[in-house]
């Protein structure tokens, strides 16, 4: 996998980005596409509010 830069939490080489804040994050500090910093701040709940329902998407 291609390295994109350094992790915004620890500074190690990173190849993924957080789906909420968009920051580059290493494998140690990301779970299911969300960085540990966003998890601690509770930003995951805010993202759930933006989900599009099945009927909205296919109507």
């Amino acid at each position: 996998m291609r390295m994109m830069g350094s992790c915004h939490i620890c500074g190690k080489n990173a190849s993924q980005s957080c789906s909420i804040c968009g920051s580059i994050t290493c494998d140690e500090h990301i779970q299911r596409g969300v960085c540990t910093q966003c998890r601690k701040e509770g930003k995951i709940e805010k993202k759930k509010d933006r989900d599009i329902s099945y009927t909205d998407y296919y109507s």
Side-chain angles (χ1 to χ4, degrees):
M1 189 175 284
R2 192 182 102 193
M3 295 297 151
M4 297 185 336
S6 56
C7 178
H8 75 282
I9 297 172
C10 67
K12 292 181 182 178
N13 287 334
S15 59
Q16 300 182 42
S17 62
C18 177
S19 62
I20 295 176
C21 68
S23 298
I24 299 171
T25 310
C26 68
D27 292 338
E28 290 180 30
H29 293 113
I30 199 162
Q31 294 177 344
R32 291 184 230 131
V34 180
C35 70
T36 54
Q37 190 172 9
C38 286
R39 288 182 182 278
K40 286 180 186 176
E41 294 175 5
K43 293 182 181 178
I44 296 172
E45 297 301 321
K46 292 178 184 176
K47 186 179 179 196
K48 287 181 183 177
D49 293 339
R50 295 185 297 161
D51 287 345
I52 299 172
S53 71
Y54 181 83
T55 55
D56 289 341
Y57 187 75
Y58 288 103
S59 56

